[in-house]
Amino acid sequence: MEAGTDSHYMQMALELAARARGRTSPNPLVGAVIVKEGQVIGKGFHAKAGGAHAEVVALMEAGEQARDATLYVTLEPCCHYGRTGPCTEAVIKAGIKRVVAAMTDPNPLVAGKGLEVLKKAGVEVKAGVLEQEAMHLNEAFIKYITTKRPFVILKSATSLDGKIATAGGESQWITGKAAREQGHWLRDRVDAILVGVNTILADDPSLTTRLPEGRGKDPVRIVVDSLARTPTAAKVLLQESAAHTMIATTEAAPVERRASLMAAGAEVLVVPGPGPRVDLVKLMELLGEKQITQILIEGGGKLNGSALAAGIVDKVVWFIAPKIIGGDSAPGAIRGDGVQALKDATQLYDVSVQCLEGDFAFTGYTSKRGERISLLE
C-alpha cells in the first residue's frame, strides 16, 4: 500500500490491533494510528479488557500534537461508559480534525452512534477503509456481540484418509511439529477449549498452551460429560494454570459425582435439556452468558459430529498429514449419523490452504461471507 494513503495507515492500525490476539475478550481487537502532516505521531492498541482503549493510548503518545491530526482506528470509537470512558470524548477534547474508521461497531450500544457524535462535534468522519480486513480480525467479537453466543472453531488433525488414530488407538503424532505448534497458537487465541469426556478417558490430555519459550495463554478447559465420568485425577483438573476447568453435564449426572468434581476444583455446569447428551446449543448460550466469546473444539469424532449436527460450528481448521492409516476400526474425525444426501453435507466457504512442513492446514467457514456480514445489519 502506498505510504500516506488512508489504506496504508489503516493497515498499520490493523497490525497493531492484532498484537493483542487472545487477550482482549470480551472486548474487540482495536488498533489506532494518529497522523499529522504525513508523520505518525501516536499509535496504540487495546491490550486487555479493562485497559485503556487504542484511541486513548495513541492520543497519550501524540500529546498536544494531536490537535488537527487524523486518527485512524480499526473500529468506530465508543460513545458509552463501560469500564472506561467514551473514546469519542477523548478524541474531541484532543482536537482531532479527522477520524477514519475501518468499520462501525456491531455493539448495539454504539452501532454508528460514535461516528455521529464525532460528526456533530465538527470532526470529519470516514468509514469503511479496509472494512473486510477489520471484520475478519474481529470475527469472534462480531458473532458474540450480535448473538450473545461464542464463535466456535472446530479443529481436527487427521491422516489423508480422515483417521484421528490407528486401529490400535495410537494418535501421537499424526501431524508434525509445525502443525502441532499452529494448534497451540489457536489455543492461545481463544477463551476456551472444548473436548468430550471420551477424549479425557482415552488420552488424559492437559489441554494447556505450550508455545516456544514457555509462551502462551491457557484457555478455559471445558469437558462435555453428560454423566460426570471425568476422573478427579484427570490432568485437566490438576493443572497449575490461570485458567480453570468446567465440566458441562446434565441432570442425569449423579449428584455425588458432581460434588466430587467440584471438590477437585472444577466448575460444574448443569446444562438444561431433554438428554441424554449435553445440549450443545444450550451450552453455547450458557457460555456466552459467562462472556466466553471464542471456543476451540478439539474433540474426538463423536463430539465433532454432534457439534456439526447442532449447527454451532462457525469455522473449521483441519490439519491433514500425507499419511494413509486405513482400517475399518481406526476412528475417524466425524462420527454420528452423518447425512443421507450430499446436498446436506457441511460446505466450507472462503477456504484457504497452508503448507506446514509437509502437512496441510485447511481453513474455512460454515457460512458464506455475506451471511457472516449480515450480522452487522
Side-chain angles (χ1 to χ4, degrees):
M1 296 176 183
E2 184 180 346
T5 65
D6 287 347
S7 294
H8 170 75
Y9 294 121
M10 189 61 74
Q11 182 61 41
M12 290 176 59
L14 286 166
E15 290 170 2
L16 284 167
R19 291 185 186 180
R21 283 184 185 274
R23 304 300 185 271
T24 64
S25 181
N27 292 350
L29 293 160
V30 185
V33 173
I34 299 174
V35 178
K36 189 173 185 178
E37 297 175 357
Q39 298 295 317
V40 174
I41 59 173
K43 56 186 178 180
F45 62 93
H46 181 48
K48 63 178 181 178
H53 287 192
E55 301 95 315
V56 173
V57 176
L59 286 168
M60 289 177 65
E61 184 176 298
E64 291 297 323
Q65 294 184 79
R67 185 160 299 278
D68 294 328
T70 296
L71 167 68
Y72 293 88
V73 62
T74 58
L75 187 70
E76 170 187 9
C78 64
C79 57
H80 65 287
Y81 283 90
R83 297 186 191 180
T84 60
C87 288
T88 49
E89 286 187 7
V91 170
I92 293 167
K93 185 178 179 180
I96 289 290
K97 181 179 182 180
R98 179 173 181 252
V99 171
V100 180
M103 60 178 285
T104 55
D105 192 334
N107 187 338
L109 293 174
V110 186
K113 298 172 187 173
L115 296 179
E116 283 301 315
V117 167
L118 294 172
K119 286 179 184 177
K120 288 179 181 178
V123 179
E124 181 186 343
V125 170
K126 179 180 180 180
V129 176
L130 299 190
E131 182 180 40
Q132 293 295 320
E133 290 85 345
M135 290 178 65
H136 179 71
L137 181 69
N138 272 312
E139 59 190 10
F141 173 75
I142 293 170
K143 165 77 182 293
Y144 169 73
I145 205 67
T146 55
T147 68
K148 303 303 180 186
R149 294 197 295 177
F151 184 87
V152 178
I153 305 169
L154 188 152
K155 174 241 171 184
S156 190
T158 71
S159 61
L160 195 60
D161 54 338
K163 304 295 186 180
I164 59 174
T166 66
E170 184 182 352
S171 60
Q172 297 181 337
W173 299 103
I174 289 177
T175 53
K177 181 180 178 181
R180 295 198 300 275
E181 184 173 311
Q182 192 89 329
H184 282 281
W185 278 113
L186 285 171
R187 290 184 180 183
D188 178 67
R189 293 174 177 177
V190 299
D191 297 342
I193 182 169
L194 187 75
V195 301
V197 67
N198 288 334
T199 294
I200 301 298
L201 296 174
D203 301 331
D204 193 22
S206 298
L207 302 184
T208 53
T209 300
R210 299 181 295 281
L211 289 169
E213 301 173 3
R215 291 176 295 162
K217 169 187 67 69
D218 288 343
V220 172
R221 298 170 290 275
I222 305 173
V223 182
V224 178
D225 183 1
S226 59
L227 295 176
R229 293 186 293 145
T230 300
T232 54
K235 288 180 181 177
V236 290
L237 296 174
L238 301 177
Q239 295 301 317
E240 291 185 8
S241 171
H244 69 293
T245 297
M246 297 174 59
I247 306 295
T249 191
T250 66
E251 290 286 0
V255 174
E256 63 273 15
R257 286 294 307 151
R258 295 187 230 167
S260 65
L261 287 167
M262 286 189 283
E267 176 185 356
V268 175
L269 188 63
V270 180
V271 183
R277 296 179 180 176
V278 172
D279 186 322
L280 295 180
V281 174
K282 279 288 184 186
L283 175 58
M284 294 303 111
E285 293 172 359
L286 293 175
L287 295 177
E289 291 173 5
K290 292 179 177 291
Q291 294 192 322
I292 291 178
T293 66
Q294 190 164 198
I295 293 173
L296 180 66
I297 296 179
E298 284 197 28
K302 189 181 239 183
L303 179 61
N304 292 346
S306 295
L308 288 170
I312 66 169
V313 177
D314 298 292
K315 187 175 184 177
V316 174
V317 179
W318 200 294
F319 298 97
I320 299 179
K323 301 173 183 175
I324 299 174
I325 292 176
D328 291 341
S329 59
I334 308 295
R335 293 180 59 190
D337 294 333
V339 298
Q340 297 298 311
L342 279 175
K343 66 179 179 63
D344 298 322
T346 299
Q347 176 69 51
L348 296 185
Y349 303 91
D350 301 320
V351 176
S352 61
V353 183
Q354 182 182 9
C355 184
L356 298 166
E357 296 180 3
D359 296 324
F360 293 89
F362 287 78
T363 301
Y365 297 83
T366 57
S367 61
K368 296 179 180 178
R369 186 183 300 273
E371 293 169 356
R372 302 199 298 277
I373 293 174
S374 69
L375 290 171
L376 293 172
E377 298 174 351

Coordinates of all heavy atoms in Angstrom, one line a residue, residues 157-158 173-184 319-323 356-360:
A157 N -7.0 -32.9 13.4 CA -5.8 -33.3 12.8 C -5.9 -34.8 12.4 O -6.1 -35.6 13.2 CB -4.6 -33.1 13.7
T158 N -5.8 -35.0 11.1 CA -6.1 -36.4 10.6 C -5.0 -36.8 9.6 O -4.3 -36.0 9.0 CB -7.5 -36.5 9.9 OG1 -7.5 -35.7 8.7 CG2 -8.5 -35.9 10.8
W173 N 2.2 -38.9 17.0 CA 1.6 -37.8 16.4 C 1.3 -38.0 15.0 O 2.2 -38.5 14.2 CB 2.4 -36.6 16.6 CG 2.7 -36.2 18.0 CD1 3.9 -36.4 18.7 CD2 1.8 -35.6 19.0 NE1 3.8 -36.0 20.0 CE2 2.5 -35.5 20.2 CE3 0.5 -35.2 18.9 CZ2 2.0 -34.9 21.3 CZ3 -0.1 -34.6 20.0 CH2 0.7 -34.5 21.2
I174 N 0.0 -37.8 14.5 CA -0.3 -37.9 13.1 C 0.3 -36.8 12.3 O 0.9 -37.0 11.3 CB -1.8 -38.0 12.9 CG1 -2.4 -39.3 13.5 CG2 -2.2 -37.8 11.4 CD1 -3.8 -39.4 13.4
T175 N 0.2 -35.6 12.8 CA 0.8 -34.4 12.1 C 2.2 -34.1 12.8 O 2.5 -34.5 13.8 CB -0.1 -33.2 12.2 OG1 -0.5 -32.9 13.6 CG2 -1.4 -33.4 11.4
G176 N 2.9 -33.2 12.1 CA 4.3 -32.9 12.5 C 4.3 -31.7 13.5 O 3.3 -31.2 13.9
K177 N 5.5 -31.3 13.8 CA 5.8 -30.3 14.8 C 5.2 -28.9 14.4 O 4.6 -28.3 15.3 CB 7.3 -30.1 15.0 CG 7.6 -29.1 16.1 CD 9.2 -29.0 16.2 CE 9.5 -27.9 17.3 NZ 11.0 -27.8 17.4
A178 N 5.3 -28.5 13.2 CA 4.8 -27.2 12.7 C 3.3 -27.2 12.9 O 2.7 -26.1 13.3 CB 5.2 -26.9 11.3
A179 N 2.6 -28.2 12.5 CA 1.1 -28.3 12.6 C 0.7 -28.3 14.1 O -0.3 -27.6 14.4 CB 0.6 -29.5 11.9
R180 N 1.4 -29.0 14.9 CA 1.1 -29.0 16.3 C 1.3 -27.6 17.0 O 0.5 -27.2 17.8 CB 1.9 -30.1 17.0 CG 1.6 -31.5 16.6 CD 2.1 -32.5 17.6 NE 3.5 -32.5 17.8 CZ 4.4 -33.1 17.1 NH1 4.0 -33.8 16.0 NH2 5.7 -33.0 17.4
E181 N 2.4 -26.9 16.6 CA 2.6 -25.6 17.1 C 1.5 -24.7 16.7 O 1.0 -23.8 17.4 CB 3.9 -25.1 16.6 CG 4.3 -23.7 17.3 CD 5.7 -23.3 17.0 OE1 6.6 -24.1 17.1 OE2 5.9 -22.1 16.5
Q182 N 1.0 -24.8 15.4 CA -0.1 -24.0 14.9 C -1.3 -24.2 15.8 O -2.1 -23.3 16.1 CB -0.4 -24.3 13.5 CG -1.3 -23.3 12.8 CD -0.6 -22.2 12.2 OE1 0.5 -21.8 12.6 NE2 -1.1 -21.7 11.1
G183 N -1.5 -25.5 16.2 CA -2.7 -25.8 17.1 C -2.6 -25.1 18.4 O -3.6 -24.6 19.0
H184 N -1.4 -25.0 18.9 CA -1.2 -24.3 20.2 C -1.4 -22.8 20.1 O -1.8 -22.1 21.0 CB 0.2 -24.6 20.8 CG 0.3 -26.0 21.4 ND1 -0.2 -26.2 22.7 CD2 0.7 -27.1 21.0 CE1 -0.1 -27.5 23.0 NE2 0.5 -28.1 22.0
F319 N -6.1 -30.0 10.0 CA -4.7 -30.3 9.6 C -4.7 -31.7 9.0 O -5.3 -32.7 9.6 CB -3.8 -30.3 10.8 CG -3.7 -28.9 11.5 CD1 -4.5 -28.6 12.6 CD2 -2.9 -28.0 11.0 CE1 -4.5 -27.3 13.2 CE2 -2.8 -26.7 11.6 CZ -3.6 -26.4 12.6
I320 N -4.1 -31.9 7.9 CA -4.0 -33.2 7.2 C -2.5 -33.6 7.0 O -1.8 -32.8 6.4 CB -4.8 -33.2 5.9 CG1 -6.2 -32.9 6.1 CG2 -4.6 -34.5 5.1 CD1 -7.1 -32.8 4.8
A321 N -2.2 -34.8 7.5 CA -0.9 -35.3 7.2 C -0.9 -36.2 6.0 O -1.9 -37.0 5.8 CB -0.4 -36.1 8.4
P322 N 0.1 -36.2 5.2 CA 0.1 -37.1 4.0 C 0.4 -38.5 4.3 O 1.4 -39.1 3.9 CB 1.2 -36.4 3.1 CG 2.1 -35.8 4.1 CD 1.3 -35.3 5.2
K323 N -0.4 -39.1 5.2 CA -0.3 -40.5 5.6 C -1.6 -41.2 5.4 O -2.7 -40.6 5.5 CB 0.1 -40.5 7.1 CG 1.4 -39.9 7.5 CD 1.5 -39.8 9.0 CE 2.8 -39.1 9.4 NZ 2.9 -38.9 10.9
L356 N 2.5 -26.8 6.0 CA 3.3 -26.7 7.2 C 4.3 -27.8 7.3 O 4.0 -28.9 7.9 CB 2.3 -26.7 8.4 CG 1.3 -25.6 8.5 CD1 0.2 -25.9 9.5 CD2 2.0 -24.3 8.9
E357 N 5.4 -27.6 6.7 CA 6.5 -28.6 6.7 C 6.0 -30.0 6.3 O 6.3 -31.0 7.0 CB 7.1 -28.7 8.1 CG 7.8 -27.4 8.5 CD 8.5 -27.4 9.8 OE1 8.4 -28.5 10.5 OE2 9.0 -26.4 10.3
G358 N 5.2 -30.1 5.2 CA 4.7 -31.4 4.7 C 3.3 -31.7 5.0 O 2.6 -32.4 4.3
D359 N 2.8 -31.1 6.1 CA 1.4 -31.2 6.5 C 0.6 -30.1 5.8 O 1.2 -29.1 5.4 CB 1.1 -31.2 8.0 CG 1.8 -32.4 8.7 OD1 1.8 -33.5 8.1 OD2 2.3 -32.2 9.8
F360 N -0.7 -30.2 5.8 CA -1.5 -29.1 5.2 C -2.6 -28.7 6.2 O -3.2 -29.5 6.9 CB -2.2 -29.6 3.9 CG -1.2 -29.8 2.8 CD1 -0.6 -31.1 2.6 CD2 -0.8 -28.8 1.9 CE1 0.3 -31.3 1.7 CE2 0.1 -29.0 0.9 CZ 0.7 -30.3 0.8

